[in-house]
Amino acid sequence: QVQLVESGGGLVQAGDSLRLSCAASGRAFRSYDMGWFRQGPGKDREFVAAISRSGDNIYYTDSVKGRFTISRETAKNTMYLQMDSLKPEDTAVYYCAAGITSSTFPYYSSGNYAYWGQGTQVTVSS
């Protein structure tokens, strides 16, 4: 089992940067694919980015490509989301998740992640 704790959210202005962290407990961190999802006001939860167990495969939703960078540091059991050039539409609660994904159970589907953090609020003012 994996417990996940996000941190790093806050209130920023458009164009600013934030780095979210997701600290995982347990030795199983390296066994899981990891993802970031977000849920904006009045919206469904949506996929943001994912990184494979090895770190070799990385995926982003189109709206954050070129602005967000996902990474993981196995030695620290931690995943990161570097968010640059933030926009008001990035305002959401951001969740990290751990799971096993594949072509049958794709990385962009929240249902394929078994473990979730409590979320961290990111608010971007215009």
Side-chain angles (χ1 to χ4, degrees):
Q1 190 168 354
V2 177
Q3 293 184 328
L4 305 172
V5 178
E6 303 98 334
S7 62
L11 172 63
V12 297
Q13 294 185 331
D16 286 350
S17 298
L18 278 176
R19 188 175 81 154
L20 305 184
S21 299
C22 174
S25 66
R27 300 178 181 177
F29 176 73
R30 66 183 66 198
S31 300
Y32 291 98
D33 303 315
M34 301 293 294
W36 286 100
F37 290 77
R38 66 186 180 187
Q39 187 165 14
K43 297 181 180 180
D44 293 333
R45 188 171 299 188
E46 65 172 352
F47 167 76
V48 177
I51 185 167
S52 63
R53 279 156 273 180
S54 65
D56 290 341
N57 298 308
I58 289 175
Y59 309 95
Y60 299 99
T61 192
D62 286 346
S63 62
V64 308
K65 284 180 181 176
R67 300 189 299 121
F68 290 12
T69 303
I70 189 173
S71 62
R72 65 190 296 165
E73 191 169 357
T74 301
K76 293 186 177 181
N77 276 11
T78 303
M79 175 179 66
Y80 305 97
L81 185 67
Q82 177 67 41
M83 305 187 295
D84 299 320
S85 302
L86 282 162
K87 303 176 180 180
E89 50 263 45
D90 295 319
T91 295
V93 178
Y94 283 72
Y95 299 90
C96 68
I100 304 297
T101 65
S102 66
S103 57
T104 305
F105 302 99
Y107 57 87
Y108 51 79
S109 177
S110 61
N112 296 325
Y113 293 83
Y115 305 104
W116 292 82
Q118 81 290 349
T120 186
Q121 176 71 47
V122 172
T123 303
V124 185
S125 63
S126 57

